[in-house]
Amino acid sequence: MFSLLPLEPVDYLVIGHLAHDLTPAGPRLGGTAAFSALTARALGLRVGIVTAVGAETPLDALEGIPVVSIPSEHSTTFENIYRENRRTQILHRRAAPIDFDQVPEAWRRATIVHLGPIAGEVQPILPKGFSTELLGLTVQGWLRGWDAEARVHPVRWEHAGEALNQASAVVLSAEDVGGDEEQIEEFVHASRVLALTEGAAGARLYWHRDQRRFRAPPVEEADATGAGDIFAAAFFIRLYATRDPWEAARFATHLAAYSTSRIGLDGIPSQQEIESCLVEVLHSKS
């Protein structure tokens, strides 16, 4: 295990694999942990990452964010292949699993804990010893299976109810469940607050047996990779700040949409975008 910086208390702790994404332009850093941590920092929070990553993956993009990494022979490595507007995702390698015992003591009291697996690498229920005010789950990593040829496909998440019930808020995408509305309803009934992202269409938010849809602003899309993770971090942070899931969803939907106009981690929100989205949310309430 190693840390790139001394371990001070953090406001936002994300636990999950960093990804080594293979793209036509070459490999690049990805994964929920990278996108959400950088978004949380852009929103002014002290951030920490607990992950497992191999030596082949440079972490320069995370400079200034303390990273605790479990030793791993390889990083979790994904390749996305697009044909006729359909995506085939290949899982080439999977990094070491993450155990909660490996989370530094100083970080177990983070204000927001975000469990963000990408390949089932962490358990979905926090054990005793953690004290957090908001537990957020992005569940895609528990909804992924892969066949003998390493092609990723949606799977049903057995025993999801207990994990969803423990969480303060849950974020998933329609793609995570293959558009299965029955499974979405099951997750809604087990969750206190659930946000379902739908790409360029925006998001649905379920709270107190009510549902609202939030439309994304029109943006010329360059790369949607990581937009759901940016949405999740923005949603969890704004939800904690306002205690208003509707406002949090509106803010996150707008911020995530703007991120798709740039490629990869360049889509992390700028201060100008953050301020603009806050103004848009306040204007919509007036």
Side-chain angles (χ1 to χ4, degrees), residues 44-103:
L45 276 67
R46 299 173 300 171
V47 183
I49 299 172
V50 175
T51 190
V53 66
E56 76 273 26
T57 307
L59 304 184
D60 299 357
L62 301 176
E63 183 178 359
I65 294 178
V67 177
V68 170
S69 181
I70 290 84
S72 183
E73 184 177 358
H74 299 290
S75 300
T76 293
T77 303
F78 285 106
E79 180 181 9
N80 294 316
I81 301 170
Y82 295 91
R83 291 194 183 98
E84 298 177 353
N85 295 323
R86 295 187 62 183
R87 181 178 78 160
T88 299
Q89 190 171 49
I90 308 295
L91 176 62
H92 289 281
R93 293 187 176 110
R94 186 167 174 256
I98 301 170
D99 191 287
F100 287 119
D101 290 341
Q102 296 157 324
V103 177

Side-chain angles (χ1 to χ4, degrees), residues 214-231:
F214 298 88
R215 301 290 183 184
V219 175
E220 186 173 345
E221 183 177 304
D223 182 11
T225 304
D229 303 318
I230 291 171
F231 175 98

Side-chain angles (χ1 to χ4, degrees), residues 28 82 219-225 257-264 266-267:
R28 68 189 189 198
Y82 295 91
V219 175
E220 186 173 345
E221 183 177 304
D223 182 11
T225 304
Y258 293 137
S259 77
T260 66
S261 65
R262 301 183 295 276
I263 295 174
D266 288 340

